[in-house]
């Protein structure tokens, strides 16, 4: 009897132990990061890249950041390594294009099996590629060449992920039974050191990631691994159906079963609806009680998706984007702000209320209203400070409107920075159209290293939690750094705002049309005007500013500052130089390459992303050049090569339509 | 006397670097590379650059063989090679090479074989030029280190 009792007791105690163990472990994960005294040093990074050069460079950079680096040049090897040494890595850096396995495949595997943050890298910085990375659930997307500063901040992804997971677990109390089961499973997953290969863990993880959802209809994981369930993406239409069903039932009475019946969507399960409902409820709670959310406790409030999904997104499948995994919240915030700002979008909730708008901007995205104010002011400041450069009055919005080629719906209201909401909507619209344009044109991010830190001034993004008004101190806000790498165009504003900052290291350029903001580092722009000249002349402003700062070689600077005005002139003919005069692009390269060297240290080089546009090699011009230079070059004396090189330079340029810029070169 | 040689060599090196930057052959990323060199990896720059040369030559060769192939149609594959070349070139700061790669990529996306060929030739030219220049740079550096290290017996007393 006593023996049995003892056995029973021990059973109870062990089960109790295990349950606490489960709970404990899951919370442990979050605490782990916080209590480690080496943090963020000692972060264990796995780098996967088939390019040995980059691998070696990254390794060295990461070592300098005091991270523990493991490198791998093959994706398959990396996966094996990850599977073997579970829990041995905190974050993964992976190249996109690899010969043995697509980087996105690796990303999916890692996401499914190990749920580690994965940061993609590529030389291809075109928006479409970046978008693809986001859609596949990458935590971040870095564009080569990668700078050490960018790597210094990768720890934020680890922390963020852990916090998000903890938040999700906290919210498990509000789930209905099915979801609780899921959570229970998840906890079990945390606790047990089950090998990924087992079906149980895979299914559990998939159930959880089901809640995150993916593209509707498309089954993007075409990996041949074990049991695969098609993921559900809450597209605009689907969400609208959902919301109307909920409204019909009444938010209190809305239960997943009934919602499912009302929606009558084939293939949708009750679990899908249940998890979506949970998120919806959280969102509603958040936007209703959001005014008090001052300091942001964690940069990413848990389920960000509902915020975006609430609006019906006409042009962009934001929901799909939002739903498909861990979209950086800043992006979502930006998109969300865009949505909220759109006057013509048929938003379900009371989006027209500026208060609500601000509140919703505030809450989940942890954006303060005064951020909106902050954004507005710089623009005004910019206008006054650079009025001499910009003949036109400050009517950015209209200019933008006219400048954009693809402007699906002209939501931009004429009112300038009259209210925060309006402004943010305008910016948001610009963001969207920029994105769309980017998607249309293949583009390449040029490598202006410092510009990675260009600030994304979208009102709804990049707010370092603890800072309210000075949200955009580039150096201090880790969030902004990496975000910009993925959404280069969105650095719409904040020119003079940043100028007014003591460290001018974070000048962002607001440029429109096809100019890649990342590359146009110093050319800080205000709201991107349509014509390039204002923003171009803004670069002369900055060139002057930065020329006064530390200077590397005098001749380089002179050349650059000479080039600037030249460039301004050349572009003030109204036509969009990047879009139409393709032949001029090569021409533009040179000055900006030189300009790039002006600024050391704090100032960002001003470079135009000339090379990101298609340079059709017209047979006449380049052919001539090639025929001149082919063959003989290589083994010549250095001096000779210098001359040849000079000859190469000039003839190439001379092929192109004469220009004010040309005169600079022929001087 | 030798001190002068070392200084002269350093001046040569700086002049060469300035030239390379000025011409847009190298950009700041190269400086980043130089900054990464420290006591724990004293030959970092030359190590990386040599890796780069090695890999680039492989890439250039495969690009050329792709393009020379009569039945060439796999622009995709070429795009992948190009992408890698672009990535490594930009990572070491080979600015001009990277720019040519961009043009090359544009031509390849348009399935413009002639344009690709031209771009490849330009690429090879730029690559060779860069290689020569960087070799020269390393040579000067080596000599400078040697010159700076030599001591006359009298000086040690």
């Amino acid at each position: 009897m006593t023996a049995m009792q003892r056995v029973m007791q021990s059973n109870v105690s062990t089960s109790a132990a295990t349950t606490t163990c489960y709970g404990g472990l899951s919370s442990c994960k979050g605490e782990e990061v916080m209590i480690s005294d080496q943090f963020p040093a000692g972060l264990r990074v796995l780098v996967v890249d088939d390019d040995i050069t980059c691998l070696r460079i990254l390794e060295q950079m990461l070592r300098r950041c005091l991270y523990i680096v493991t490198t791998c040049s093959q994706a398959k090897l990396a996966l094996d390594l990850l599977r073997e040494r579970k829990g041995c890595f905190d974050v993964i850096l992976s190249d996109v294009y690899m010969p043995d396995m697509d980087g996105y495949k690796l990303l999916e595997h890692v996401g499914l099996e190990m749920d580690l943050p994965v940061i993609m890298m590529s030389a291809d910085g075109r928006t479409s590629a970046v978008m693809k990375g986001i859609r596949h659930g990458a935590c971040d997307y870095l564009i080569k060449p990668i700078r050490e500063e960018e790597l210094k901040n990768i720890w934020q992804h680890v922390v963020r992920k852990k916090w998000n997971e903890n938040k999700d677990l906290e919210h498990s109390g509000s789930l209905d039974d099915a979801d609780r089961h899921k959570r229970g499973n998840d906890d079990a997953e945390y606790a047990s050191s089950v090998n990924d290969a087992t079906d149980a863990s895979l299914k559990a993880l998939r159930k959880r990631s089901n809640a995150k959802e993916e593209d509707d209809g498309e089954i993007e994981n075409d990996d041949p691994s074990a049991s695969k369930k098609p993921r559900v993406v809450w597209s605009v239409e689907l969400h609208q159906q959902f919301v109307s069903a909920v409204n019909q039932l009444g938010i209190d009475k809305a239960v997943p079963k009934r919602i499912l019946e009302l929606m009558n969507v084939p293939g949708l399960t009750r679990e899908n609806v249940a998890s979506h409902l949970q998120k919806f409820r959280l969102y509603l709670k958040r936007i209703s009680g959001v005014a008090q959310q001052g300091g942001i406790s964690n940069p990413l409030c848990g389920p960000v998706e509902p915020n975006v999904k609430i609006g019906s997104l006409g042009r962009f499948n934001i929901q799909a984007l939002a739903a498909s995994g861990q979209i950086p919240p800043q992006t979502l915030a930006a998109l969300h702000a865009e949505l909220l700002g759109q006057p013509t979008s048929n938003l379900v909730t009371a989006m027209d209320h500026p208060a609500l708008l601000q509140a919703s901007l505030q809450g989940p995205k942890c954006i303060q209203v005064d951020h909106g104010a902050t954004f507005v002011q710089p623009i005004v400041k910019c206008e006054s400070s650079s009025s001499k450069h910009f003949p036109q009055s400050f009517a950015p919005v209209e200019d933008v409107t006219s400048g954009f080629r693809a402007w699906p719906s002209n939501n931009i209201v004429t009112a300038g920075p009259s209210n925060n909401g309006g402004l943010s909507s305008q910016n948001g619209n610009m963001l969207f159209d920029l994105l769309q344009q980017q998607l249309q044109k293949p583009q390449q991010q040029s490598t202006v290293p410092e510009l990675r830190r260009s600030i994304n001034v979208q009102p709804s993004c990049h707010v370092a939690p603890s800072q309210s008004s000075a949200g955009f101190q580039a150096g201090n806000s880790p969030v902004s750094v990496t975000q910009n790498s993925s959404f280069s165009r969105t650095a719409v504003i904040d020119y003079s705002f940043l100028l007014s900052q003591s460290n001018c290291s974070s000048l962002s350029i607001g440029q429109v049309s096809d100019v890649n903001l990342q590359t146009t580092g110093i050319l800080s722009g205000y709201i991107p005007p349509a014509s390039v000249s204002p923003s171009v002349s803004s670069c002369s402003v900055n060139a002057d500013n930065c020329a006064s700062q530390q200077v590397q070689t005098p001749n380089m600077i002179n050349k650059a500052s000479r080039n600037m005005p030249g460039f301004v002139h050349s572009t003030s003919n109204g036509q969009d130089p990047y879009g139409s005069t393709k032949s001029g692009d090569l021409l533009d390269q040179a000055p900006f390459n030189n300009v790039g060297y002006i600024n050391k240290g704090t100032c960002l080089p001003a470079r135009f992303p000339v090379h990101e546009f298609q340079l059709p090699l017209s047979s006449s011009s380049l052919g001539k050049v090639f025929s001149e230079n082919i063959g003989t070059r290589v083994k010549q004396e250095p001096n000779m090569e210098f001359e040849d090189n000079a000859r190469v330079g000039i003839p190439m340029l001379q092929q192109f339509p004469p220009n004010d810029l040309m005169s600079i070169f022929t001087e | 006397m030798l001190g002068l040689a070392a200084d002269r060599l350093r001046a040569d090196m700086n002049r060469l670097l300035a030239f390379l930057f000025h011409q847009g052959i190298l950009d700041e990323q190269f400086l980043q590379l130089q900054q990464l060199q420290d006591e724990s990896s004293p030959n970092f720059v030359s190590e990386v650059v040599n890796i780069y040369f090695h890999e680039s030559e492989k890439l250039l060769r495969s690009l050329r063989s792709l393009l020379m192939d009569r039945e060439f149609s796999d622009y995709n594959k070429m795009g992948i090679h190009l992408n890698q070349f672009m990535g490594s070139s930009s990572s070491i700061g080979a600015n001009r090479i990277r720019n040519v790669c961009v043009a090359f990529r544009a031509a390849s996306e348009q399935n413009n074989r002639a344009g690709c060929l031209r771009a490849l030739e330009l690429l090879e030219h730029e690559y060779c030029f860069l290689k020569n220049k960087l070799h020269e740079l390393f040579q000067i550096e080596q000599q400078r280190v040697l010159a700076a290290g030599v001591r006359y017996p009298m000086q040690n007393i």
Side-chain angles (χ1 to χ4, degrees):
Chain A
M1 185 67 169
T2 45
M4 262 178 40
Q5 275 179 342
R6 243 179 281 132
V7 168
M8 276 176 57
Q9 271 183 356
S10 63
N11 282 343
V12 169
S13 58
T14 44
S15 59
T18 35
T19 38
T20 50
C21 187
Y22 289 166
L25 262 174
S26 54
S27 60
C28 248
K29 275 202 162 186
E31 282 158 17
E32 219 172 83
V33 174
M34 282 151 46
I35 59 178
S36 158
D37 20 301
Q38 278 193 316
F39 185 79
L43 198 71
R44 296 158 303 179
V45 186
L46 173 67
V47 189
V48 188
D49 193 345
D50 59 324
D51 181 1
I52 316 281
T53 320
C54 293
L55 206 58
R56 183 72 188 88
I57 295 178
L58 283 169
E59 184 188 11
Q60 184 73 5
M61 283 185 179
L62 288 165
R63 289 235 166 86
R64 292 269 283 236
C65 297
L66 302 180
Y67 295 154
I68 299 174
V69 188
T70 314
T71 61
C72 194
S73 66
Q74 289 171 24
K76 294 213 170 73
L77 261 176
L79 256 186
D80 292 338
L81 200 62
L82 284 167
R83 284 181 183 134
E84 279 174 44
R85 296 206 251 157
K86 216 181 262 247
C88 266
F89 298 106
D90 296 313
V91 66
I92 297 167
L93 254 68
S94 167
D95 190 41
V96 168
Y97 297 108
M98 289 188 285
D100 58 340
M101 187 194 293
D102 187 21
Y104 295 120
K105 279 266 172 61
L106 179 65
L107 168 61
E108 284 173 13
H109 277 292
V110 172
L112 284 177
E113 299 176 22
M114 295 131 221
D115 198 28
L116 288 172
V118 180
I119 298 174
M120 307 300 293
M121 315 181 282
S122 181
D124 181 4
R126 297 175 286 192
T127 310
S128 49
V130 177
M131 188 68 76
K132 194 173 174 199
I134 293 173
R135 205 179 298 130
H136 281 82
C139 279
D140 202 351
Y141 191 107
L142 302 177
I143 297 166
K144 291 182 183 170
I146 299 182
R147 306 249 312 168
E148 208 172 329
E149 294 86 54
E150 299 173 354
L151 293 178
K152 283 208 182 105
N153 282 322
I154 62 177
W155 60 267
Q156 59 173 302
H157 298 291
V158 181
V159 176
R160 191 177 294 134
K161 210 174 168 84
K162 294 239 159 56
W163 279 352
N164 274 353
E165 284 168 359
N166 286 348
K167 262 203 145 293
D168 282 347
L169 294 170
E170 279 168 29
H171 287 133
S172 67
S174 65
L175 291 179
D176 59 10
D177 289 349
D179 286 347
R180 208 167 287 139
H181 236 315
K182 264 193 249 173
R183 298 289 176 224
N185 273 344
D186 293 337
D187 285 353
E189 289 320 305
Y190 282 134
S192 66
S193 54
V194 165
N195 196 343
D196 281 334
T198 66
D199 282 329
S201 60
L202 270 173
K203 262 201 300 188
L205 283 163
R206 287 226 183 76
K207 271 194 188 162
R208 187 157 65 90
S209 47
N210 229 347
K212 294 188 194 150
E213 289 124 13
E214 263 234 344
D215 277 334
D216 191 31
E218 281 177 63
I219 297 187
E220 288 198 346
N221 342 346
D222 44 352
D223 58 313
S225 64
S227 58
K228 219 171 57 81
K229 273 200 288 190
R231 297 169 154 189
V232 174
V233 147
W234 286 88
S235 65
V236 181
E237 299 80 22
L238 205 58
H239 181 71
Q240 268 183 320
Q241 283 182 282
F242 171 81
V243 175
S244 57
V246 167
N247 287 338
Q248 214 174 318
L249 291 170
I251 186 67
D252 304 317
K253 295 237 200 78
V255 280
K257 186 152 185 281
R258 297 229 49 210
I259 298 175
L260 186 64
E261 285 168 21
L262 272 175
M263 284 176 70
N264 196 18
V265 170
L268 197 63
T269 68
R270 203 190 69 83
E271 284 83 29
N272 300 135
V273 176
S275 59
H276 193 69
L277 178 65
Q278 174 216 350
K279 294 196 179 113
F280 187 67
R281 285 214 184 99
L282 285 168
Y283 166 74
L284 290 179
K285 208 191 323 171
R286 198 175 294 122
I287 59 171
S288 62
V290 90
Q292 309 85 354
Q293 281 198 17
I296 294 88
S297 54
N298 53 346
L300 311 185
C301 306
V304 182
E305 298 88 304
N307 303 312
V308 179
K309 288 180 196 166
I310 285 299
S312 66
L313 314 175
R315 285 180 285 161
F316 242 33
N317 198 359
I318 302 287
Q319 293 185 2
L321 295 178
S324 63
Q326 314 111 13
I327 295 186
Q330 298 82 5
T331 319
L332 279 172
L335 300 173
H336 183 48
E338 215 278 28
L339 292 175
L340 294 180
Q342 283 186 17
T344 60
S345 67
N346 44 340
L347 297 173
V348 176
T349 52
M351 290 306 170
D352 296 327
H353 300 178
L356 197 59
L357 169 70
Q358 287 171 357
S360 55
L361 277 179
Q362 275 185 15
K365 311 299 182 288
C366 313
I367 293 161
Q368 311 268 350
V369 177
D370 50 343
H371 277 294
T374 321
F375 300 155
V376 177
Q377 286 156 18
I379 293 152
V380 176
K381 251 196 284 175
C382 161
E383 181 186 2
S384 58
S385 65
S386 45
S387 54
K388 56 180 158 79
H389 294 280
F390 313 117
Q392 68 207 38
S393 63
F394 187 68
V397 173
E398 284 96 351
D399 287 346
V400 175
T401 330
S402 56
F404 279 104
R405 290 191 223 115
W407 196 259
S409 67
N410 189 354
N411 291 333
I412 292 190
V413 183
T414 54
S418 53
N419 66 327
N420 299 344
L423 192 61
S424 57
S425 73
Q426 290 153 12
N427 298 338
N429 285 335
M430 282 178 238
L431 163 63
F432 259 90
D433 288 282
L434 282 172
L435 284 175
Q436 285 206 330
Q437 285 195 16
Q438 282 247 2
L439 282 173
Q440 290 159 17
K441 293 191 69 103
Q443 277 154 16
Q444 154 90 15
Q445 300 253 353
S446 81
T447 65
V448 181
E450 287 274 348
L451 292 175
R452 298 279 147 50
R453 309 201 289 146
S454 67
I455 302 304
N456 186 344
V457 184
Q458 280 302 317
S460 52
C461 349
H462 295 314
V463 178
S466 50
Q467 301 163 4
S468 52
S469 60
F472 285 118
Q473 294 169 15
N476 305 337
S477 69
V479 171
S480 62
V481 173
T482 51
Q483 184 54 39
N484 283 322
S485 59
S486 47
F487 272 86
S488 58
R489 289 295 187 81
T490 55
V492 170
I493 322 165
D494 231 4
Y495 154 72
S496 61
F497 174 66
L498 293 169
L499 265 186
S500 64
Q501 301 261 346
S502 54
N503 58 334
C504 89
S505 59
S506 53
L507 297 176
S508 66
I509 294 181
Q511 281 220 355
V512 173
S513 60
D514 302 314
V515 174
N516 198 326
L517 283 174
Q518 281 216 2
T519 60
T520 54
I522 289 196
L523 308 179
S524 53
Y526 40 123
I527 296 197
S531 60
V532 181
S533 42
S535 47
V536 169
S537 38
S538 72
C539 56
S540 61
V541 173
N542 275 330
D544 295 338
N545 290 343
C546 294
S548 63
Q549 299 189 11
Q550 14 171 311
V551 159
Q552 276 287 316
T553 7
N555 53 343
M556 280 196 239
I557 294 193
N558 290 338
K559 186 136 193 204
S561 44
R562 268 185 306 151
N563 290 338
M564 282 311 188
F567 186 78
V568 172
H569 295 152
S570 66
T571 57
S572 59
N573 56 5
Q575 118 196 99
D576 180 0
Y578 294 129
S580 35
T581 59
K582 302 234 173 95
S583 55
D585 287 347
L586 253 183
L587 185 148
D588 293 335
Q589 275 185 19
F592 295 102
N593 289 339
N594 292 334
V595 168
Y597 304 137
I598 299 180
N599 308 294
K600 289 295 146 194
T602 55
C603 262
L604 293 178
R607 282 215 227 152
F608 271 101
V610 179
H611 33 258
E612 61 188 271
F613 304 101
Q614 305 195 4
L615 303 172
L617 303 174
S618 58
S619 53
S620 60
S621 55
L622 283 174
K624 272 191 229 163
V625 172
F626 289 143
S627 59
E628 273 184 52
N629 302 320
I630 292 296
T632 55
R633 286 308 89 85
V634 180
K635 304 300 177 208
Q636 285 183 359
E637 299 289 306
N639 294 334
M640 295 278 287
E641 290 201 315
F642 172 46
E643 286 157 9
D644 290 342
N645 205 37
R647 269 188 293 136
V648 169
I650 305 229
M652 268 170 74
L653 294 172
Q654 281 169 353
Q655 301 298 334
F656 299 102
N659 204 319
D660 287 349
L661 197 48
M662 284 316 306
S663 60
I664 292 176
F665 282 103
T666 52
E667 276 183 88
Chain B
M1 197 58 165
L2 256 84
L4 278 179
D7 286 340
R8 197 175 356 107
L9 285 168
R10 184 183 290 119
D12 285 344
M13 204 170 72
N14 287 340
R15 202 179 320 124
L16 180 55
L17 270 176
F19 162 69
L20 290 173
F21 281 116
H22 191 260
Q23 290 293 308
I25 297 165
L26 289 179
D27 63 14
E28 286 102 354
Q29 191 68 16
F30 190 76
L31 292 175
Q32 280 252 307
L33 239 68
Q34 288 183 316
Q35 284 166 13
L36 283 174
Q37 183 161 301
D38 55 16
E39 302 82 35
S40 64
S41 350
N43 298 317
F44 179 68
V45 181
S46 62
E47 182 189 338
V48 171
V49 169
N50 285 328
I51 297 175
Y52 170 70
F53 285 151
H54 186 67
E55 296 290 309
S56 303
E57 270 149 39
K58 276 198 286 189
L59 281 172
L60 280 172
R61 255 174 294 169
S62 49
L63 278 172
R64 181 151 283 276
S65 67
L66 267 180
L67 270 177
M68 286 315 188
D69 182 11
R70 197 72 51 86
E71 294 97 30
F72 167 67
S73 60
D74 195 354
Y75 286 96
N76 213 16
K77 188 160 178 196
M78 199 162 66
I80 295 177
H81 284 314
L82 257 185
N83 196 56
Q84 183 179 336
F85 198 25
M86 198 154 42
S88 53
S89 305
S90 57
S91 295
I92 69 155
N95 185 47
R96 266 228 288 244
I97 291 182
R98 199 261 327 273
N99 292 342
V100 178
C101 283
V102 175
F104 196 154
R105 181 174 67 180
S108 112
E109 275 162 10
Q110 297 165 348
N111 288 7
N112 175 4
R113 184 156 170 203
C116 287
L117 265 169
R118 277 194 296 271
L120 177 64
E121 282 160 2
L122 184 58
L123 202 59
E124 284 167 344
H125 164 76
E126 289 289 342
Y127 170 76
C128 292
F129 184 75
L130 178 72
K131 184 169 179 178
N132 285 346
K133 287 293 172 221
L134 285 179
H135 274 319
E136 189 186 328
L137 194 71
F138 292 144
Q139 263 183 329
I140 301 178
E141 170 68 20
Q142 262 182 337
Q143 287 171 12
R144 190 188 65 79
V145 167
L146 281 176
V150 170
R151 292 228 191 297
Y152 282 116
M154 286 173 278
Q155 289 175 354
N156 285 342
I157 291 172

